[in-house]
Amino acid sequence: MTPADSGGSRAVTGVLAVMLALVPIAGMPSELVLQDTLKSAIVSTGTLAGLWVWWWAQRKQDYLTIQWHGILLLPLALMAYALGSMLWSHTYLAGVEAARWAVLGLLMWLVVQAAHPGHWMRLVWGIHWGAVGASTWAAAQFWGNLEWFPQAAAPASTFANRNFFAEYAVCALPFSVLALGQTSKPAWRQPMALLVAFQVVALMATGTRSALLALLCITPALLLVLWRYRSQLAWGQWSKRSLVAVLIVGVIDVLALGSLHSQHPESLGQNALNRSWMRAASMAEKTEYVEGSFSYRSMMWKGTARMLMGEPWLGVGAGAWEVYIPLFQGPSADEEPDYYAHNEYLQLLAEYGLPVGGGVLAVLLAYLLAAARNTWRLPLSTPDAPLRAIALTSLLALLVVSLAGFPWRLAGTGALLAICLGLLACTDRRLVLPDSLGGGTRHLAFGARTLMGAGLVGASLLTLSIAVQAMRAETLIMRSIYALNQAERRKTSDPSVSEHWHTQGVALLQSGLAINSDYRKLISIPAEQLASLGDWRTTAAVLESIAHSRPHIANVWSNLVRAHAELGQAEPALAAWRELERLQPNTPRTRAMELVALSRTGHEEEAVNKLAAYLDQGVVEPDLVLLAYSLGQRKRQWALVEQGLTLRANTWPDTAADSYFRLGKVFADAGKGFEDRALAAFQRGLQAAPQGEVSNYRRQVPSPYREQL
C-alpha cells in the first residue's frame, strides 16, 4: 500500500474538507478584522495542518515519497518572481504576493500527494457544505436583513462584498452538482436538489453580472457532464420517478425562492429573479459603458494596459499595481481607481511582465485545454473522469469571473483554484495522460523527512506570527477609526469627551502603524478623520507614512500640502506641492494647492495675485474658489470673495444656497455701504435653497435682512 492510499490520504482529505467548508462559512461579526484576512488565515492554517498530517503519515516509511507534477511549477515561478521583486519593487506588497503563491502552491502540492479516488468525495462534500453555509448567510441578508457581518454591498454572506461571494458561489456550484449526482440514498435526493437550487437563487440575488455570465457558461457544461458520465454517477441508477421528482423540486425551488421579495434596504421590493434579470440586461445598455461600473472598470483596464506597455518585460513588480497605476491614468485623474485592476490576466501581465506573467498564463491555458481534451478522450468508465470534468467546469467559471474581478487574490476562490488544479494534476499522474507537463514519483532519504519536519515547524511559526500580527494591526487601526469617529461626533457637543476619544484614537493608530505602516486601505480613513478634527500634526505624520509607501497618489500629496500649510511649515508644504505638480502639472487642483501653501506660509500677497489671475482665466476648482473666499476675507478684497463664491454657485449648483449665504454674511459683516449687496446675496441664496430647506435658510439669515426677504 502506497502512502497516497494509506490512512494518511484519508486524514489529509478530511482536514482539507473541513478547511474548505470553514472558509466560506466563517466570518467576523465586526470590522475589527477584515473578512478576507480571517479566510486567508483559515486557508493557511488548514494547508499547514494538512501538511503536518501528511508528514506524520510518512514517519513509518523507510523513505519519503513525493509525487510531482509540472503544473506545480506555475505557483513556484510566481513565488520566485515575487521574492525577487521584493529587492527592486514594493517590498511589502511583493512579500504578500510571495506568501500567497506559496500557500496556494503548497495546497496544490498537498492535493497531488494525498488525493486518492476513495477519498476525493470528501473534498467535494467540503466545498458543497461550505457553499451551502455561505448561501444561507446571503439568503438571510437578502430576505431577512441579517446584519451579523459588516459588508460593503449586500447580500455578501461572509465575504464583505456581494461580488466576492458570487464569484465563490459560481465556482463552487459544480462541486455541489457533483454531490447531488452522487447522492444514492433516495431520502437525500430531493433535499440535495433543494440545496443546489438554493445556492443558485442566492447567487442570483447578488446580481453580480460576471458571476451570472459564468453561470450561463457552465450550465450547459454541467448538464453535459451529468449526462455523459451517468453510468458512473449515482443518479444514473435513479428511477425515472425519482429523477422527475428531483427536477421538479429544483425548478420549483428556484421559481419559488427566486420570487420572494427582499427585506434588505438596498434591494427592498426586489426578488432574486428580477434582480438577476435586470442586472444581466444592463450589460446591453449603452449608458453602462459610459457612466456605470463598466466605464469605471474600463478606465482601470486601460490604465493597466498602458502600464503593461510601459514595462512589458519586467513588469512593475509583484503586487505593485496599486502603487504605479496613478502614473498610467493621465494627469487629470483624481486618484487611482482601486487596489486591484479587476482583471486578473491584465494585472498579472502588468505586475509580472510578459516573460513570467505571459508565460504562466500561456502554460496554464495550454494545460487546461490539454486537460479538457484528455478528459473528453477518456473511456466513460474511467473513475477519475467525472471529477476531472467538474474541476474543469469550476475553473471555467473562475476564468470567466477573473475577467472583471480579482478572485485569485481572495482566499475562498484562490483555494478553489489550487484544489481544482491539484485534482487535475493528481489524476494526470494516476492515468499517465499525455501533455500533462510531466511528473512522477520521487523517493527521498530519511534525512529529507527530518528536514521537511523542521521546515514545517518554521513555516507554522511564521504563519502563526504573520496571522496574529496582521489581525492585531487591523484591530488596532479599526479601533482607532471607531475612536476618532466618536471624537468627531462629540466635537461640538462635548469637547472634553471628544478629546478623550481623540487621544485614544491617535494612540491606537500609532500602535497599528508600528506593526504595519503599509496598510493604506485602512490608514487613509483615520487620516481623513484627523484632518476633520483639526489635528494637522498627526494627519501630516500619517500622510507621510502613506506617501512613503505609495509615492504616486496625487490625493495624498494634495492633503499633505494642506496639512503642512495649516501647521505653517512652508518648506514641507512646498515640497509636497512639487510632488503634486510632478503627478498633475497645470491642473486646477495643483494650482489651488500652490495657493494654499503660499497663503498659509506668509506669502499671501503672491497668493492673492495668482488667485485673481487664475479666476480671470476661468480656472475653477473647489479648493481654489473657497480659497478666494477665505483669502479675500482676510485681505478685505470683497471683489475676490464675490468672484470666488459666484463661480462656486454657478459651477456646482447644489452649493448655490450655501455660496450666496456665505457671500451675504461677508457683505453683512463688511459694515456700512454693503447692505444692498448683502440683501441681494441672501435673496439669491433663498431662491436657490431646496424647497424643504427654505424655512431653515430664513432662520439663519441675520434678523435685519430676514425681515426684508
Side-chain angles (χ1 to χ4, degrees), residues 482-496:
Y482 172 81
L484 293 173
N485 187 43
Q486 295 298 316
E488 285 186 278
R489 288 182 179 179
R490 291 166 170 77
K491 183 168 60 174
T492 54
S493 62
D494 197 338
S496 61

Side-chain angles (χ1 to χ4, degrees), residues 110-128:
L110 184 59
V111 173
V112 172
Q113 307 312 305
H116 181 267
H119 307 139
W120 284 335
M121 283 305 296
R122 289 168 174 252
L123 301 179
V124 173
W125 285 108
I127 296 170
H128 166 70

Side-chain angles (χ1 to χ4, degrees), residues 84-108:
S85 63
M86 289 178 69
L87 302 175
W88 57 269
S89 187
H90 196 287
T91 303
Y92 170 77
L93 294 174
V96 171
E97 282 290 289
R100 179 168 68 88
W101 287 119
V103 171
L104 294 182
L106 284 173
L107 182 55
M108 286 172 57

Side-chain angles (χ1 to χ4, degrees), residues 1-9 54 57-58 61 63-65 67 113-114:
M1 181 176 289
T2 66
D5 53 23
S6 67
S9 172
W54 174 84
Q58 306 290 314
Q61 305 295 325
Y63 45 78
L64 191 65
T65 303
Q67 310 296 335
Q113 307 312 305

Side-chain angles (χ1 to χ4, degrees), residues 260-446:
L260 293 178
H261 291 288
S262 171
Q263 298 303 311
H264 195 279
E266 290 184 21
S267 48
L268 194 64
Q270 291 184 333
N271 60 53
L273 290 174
N274 65 31
R275 180 174 176 79
S276 60
W277 172 256
M278 289 169 57
R279 293 286 291 169
S282 68
M283 290 190 287
E285 298 174 3
K286 292 183 179 179
T287 55
E288 181 61 33
Y289 302 92
V290 179
E291 302 172 357
S293 61
F294 272 112
S295 66
Y296 180 76
R297 292 185 182 187
S298 67
M299 176 182 67
M300 292 189 279
W301 298 337
K302 290 175 184 176
T304 308
R306 287 191 287 268
M307 183 187 295
L308 173 59
M309 290 187 287
E311 296 288 344
W313 303 115
L314 199 58
V316 296
W321 181 89
E322 64 168 286
V323 176
Y324 293 100
I325 188 60
L327 297 177
F328 298 94
Q329 285 183 257
S332 61
D334 285 340
E335 57 180 329
E336 84 288 13
D338 210 303
Y339 303 98
Y340 303 102
H342 286 71
N343 184 301
E344 287 286 10
Y345 315 112
L346 277 176
Q347 185 162 350
L348 190 72
L349 291 171
E351 290 183 350
Y352 290 78
L354 289 175
V356 176
V360 165
L361 287 177
V363 171
L364 177 62
L365 180 60
Y367 171 70
L368 292 179
L369 290 173
R373 182 199 61 192
N374 291 335
T375 303
W376 183 263
R377 291 178 176 178
L378 286 173
L380 297 181
S381 59
T382 306
D384 298 333
L387 183 70
R388 287 178 60 86
I390 287 296
L392 285 166
T393 306
S394 178
L395 288 170
L396 173 61
L398 184 64
L399 293 176
V400 173
V401 297
S402 297
L403 290 167
F406 42 95
W408 299 9
R409 296 161 196 273
L410 298 173
T413 37
L416 287 182
L417 170 65
I419 291 291
C420 290
L421 290 176
L423 289 172
L424 290 174
C426 67
T427 52
D428 280 345
R429 179 180 54 79
R430 287 182 57 83
L431 299 171
V432 196
L433 295 175
D435 304 324
S436 59
L437 300 180
T441 303
R442 304 287 186 273
H443 299 294
L444 304 181
F446 177 83

Side-chain angles (χ1 to χ4, degrees), residues 474-556:
E474 286 183 8
T475 300
L476 288 167
I477 296 171
M478 292 304 300
R479 285 177 59 198
S480 78
I481 292 171
Y482 172 81
L484 293 173
N485 187 43
Q486 295 298 316
E488 285 186 278
R489 288 182 179 179
R490 291 166 170 77
K491 183 168 60 174
T492 54
S493 62
D494 197 338
S496 61
V497 174
S498 174
E499 183 60 29
H500 166 75
W501 283 110
H502 180 188
T503 303
Q504 184 177 350
V506 170
L508 289 167
L509 179 60
Q510 290 172 341
S511 298
L513 289 175
I515 298 173
N516 186 353
S517 61
D518 288 294
Y519 214 147
R520 185 174 69 84
K521 183 186 292 186
L522 295 182
I523 294 172
S524 58
I525 300 174
E528 294 176 5
Q529 294 173 306
L530 289 164
S532 176
L533 289 167
D535 185 353
W536 295 107
R537 191 168 303 279
T538 311
T539 300
V542 175
L543 290 172
E544 291 283 3
S545 171
I546 298 174
H548 177 74
S549 176
R550 314 291 198 278
H552 309 302
I553 303 173
N555 268 1
V556 172

